[in-house]
Amino acid sequence: MTDAEFEALRVFLKARSGLALSPDKRYLVESRLAAVCTRFKIERLSHLVREIRTGRSSALEKATIEAMTTNETFFFRDKTPFDLFQEVLLPKYLKERAASRRLRIWCAAASSGQEPYSLAMLLKEASARMPGWHIDIVATDISTEVLEKAKAGLYNQFEVQRGLPIRFLVKYFTQVGEQWQISQDIRSMIDFRYLNLLDDFSRLGQFDIVYCRNVLIYFDAALKADVLRRIANTMAADGSLLLGASETVLGVTDALALDPGHRGLYAKAAAANVTKLFAVRAR
């Protein structure tokens, strides 16, 4: 693959998925797209680039994008975002949404489903405290392949051993051959949908809680700011956002601000400022 061909792929991937590949990721492109070439019976990577440039095959374009997206995830990944959900967010919204008894959660870049299923299990554990509540969990991803896996709720032994408490495995999973399938009761709690983070979010509606973790690291600064601004627009006035451990809104956007009381938790800027003002007055 020539420098010009690699540059053409970089431009294509950024325009279609937001993925910003640095020049040193050339080896990654070549290794991941080799399988795409084999699948589409394309002899060389340079021929794949040529086909993409013609725009004749939407299937090839889709496969190329999916091959380059990172789908690393596991149950209760990083622990803290789920501790915050149990200890801070759920008590907050049980109180603040007591009248409507409705809670809406969005898991962006949900990959193969472990994140939304982790939240669903925590909500199921709390169901005795939530009689009559209507819970919406919307989980989106750009990859239709991982979305199909997520919908099936089937995971191998390695996947269920990564972060999943054994009591949840026993309680919510059934062994199917060499795999484990999460219960239909839990699967029915999630609405899996295709969504490219470059697309309009307005059709998703409004959310109380948004998880958008470990995806913005692949975007450049301008796109990070744009995605965060549009996420803020989907959030309720008192909505909450959780990002990945290495991600922040600081220096990226003024639409969101760090929750002063909880590291890793973000709120709409106006709401965060009000919280901070009341905290100062209470001293």
Side-chain angles (χ1 to χ4, degrees):
M1 181 170 59
T2 67
D3 290 347
E5 289 164 345
F6 177 63
E7 184 60 25
L9 272 175
R10 288 179 64 197
V11 170
F12 165 77
L13 289 166
K14 184 175 181 182
R16 295 292 298 275
S17 70
L19 181 63
L21 286 176
S22 57
D24 64 344
K25 291 294 189 291
R26 186 164 174 163
Y27 75 94
L28 185 66
V29 171
E30 293 175 341
S31 62
R32 289 192 180 182
L33 294 187
V36 177
C37 288
T38 301
R39 175 181 163 189
F40 284 84
K41 297 181 171 54
I42 296 173
E43 186 177 348
R44 297 178 182 178
L45 196 53
S46 58
H47 296 172
L48 180 147
V49 176
R50 184 178 63 200
E51 287 298 307
I52 284 175
R53 279 174 160 171
T54 66
R56 289 185 301 224
S57 174
S58 59
L60 178 60
E61 292 177 2
K62 179 173 171 289
T64 299
I65 292 168
E66 292 199 1
M68 292 309 304
T69 55
T70 300
N71 294 308
E72 169 68 8
T73 186
F74 50 91
F75 291 102
F76 298 97
R77 183 179 183 181
D78 300 331
K79 191 175 182 295
T80 298
F82 301 97
D83 289 343
L84 283 171
F85 180 78
Q86 278 188 292
E87 298 165 12
V88 178
L89 297 180
L90 193 53
K92 169 185 174 178
Y93 291 111
L94 283 177
K95 179 180 179 181
E96 295 183 1
R97 301 293 187 269
S100 65
R101 292 193 178 189
R102 180 164 186 170
L103 184 66
R104 297 198 78 230
I105 302 169
W106 176 22
C107 292
S111 188
S112 46
Q114 285 93 320
E115 178 179 86
Y117 282 139
S118 296
L119 293 172
M121 285 185 280
L122 292 179
L123 284 163
K124 185 61 71 174
E125 292 290 297
S127 59
R129 297 155 58 196
M130 307 175 71
W133 278 68
H134 182 81
I135 308 295
D136 290 326
I137 305 176
V138 178
T140 65
D141 202 272
I142 193 174
S143 171
T144 53
E145 182 178 342
V146 296
L147 284 172
E148 287 306 311
K149 174 179 172 62
K151 289 175 185 177
L154 277 166
Y155 300 96
N156 61 34
Q157 189 69 37
F158 174 70
E159 289 169 324
V160 297
Q161 286 177 334
R162 296 185 74 194
L164 183 67
I166 186 65
R167 65 187 180 92
F168 283 180
L169 177 63
V170 172
K171 189 172 184 179
Y172 296 117
F173 288 75
T174 301
Q175 191 161 13
V176 180
E178 296 183 355
Q179 294 186 301
W180 294 84
Q181 186 168 41
I182 199 161
S183 70
Q184 177 60 37
D185 196 26
I186 298 295
R187 296 203 308 275
S188 66
M189 294 175 67
I190 318 292
D191 177 10
F192 287 103
R193 305 184 195 176
Y194 169 85
L195 181 74
N196 186 328
L197 290 178
L198 301 184
D199 294 342
D200 179 23
F201 300 160
S202 62
R203 61 188 174 87
L204 297 176
Q206 188 178 81
F207 295 96
D208 304 299
I209 303 170
V210 178
Y211 279 72
C212 184
R213 303 194 301 138
N214 308 306
V215 63
L216 296 181
I217 54 175
Y218 300 107
F219 296 165
D220 63 22
L223 184 54
K224 284 179 188 177
D226 178 59
V227 171
L228 286 169
R229 175 187 58 79
R230 290 186 289 118
I231 285 175
N233 289 339
T234 72
M235 292 164 58
D238 60 348
S240 303
L241 168 68
L242 296 99
L243 299 177
S246 63
E247 297 167 328
T248 182
V249 305
L250 300 177
V252 181
T253 180
D254 58 5
L256 294 152
L258 181 67
D259 184 306
H262 304 97
R263 184 179 179 183
L265 190 59
Y266 299 88
K268 281 193 170 183
N273 290 334
V274 168
T275 303
K276 190 180 297 184
L277 177 62
F278 278 111
V280 170
R281 286 179 176 174
R283 288 176 185 171

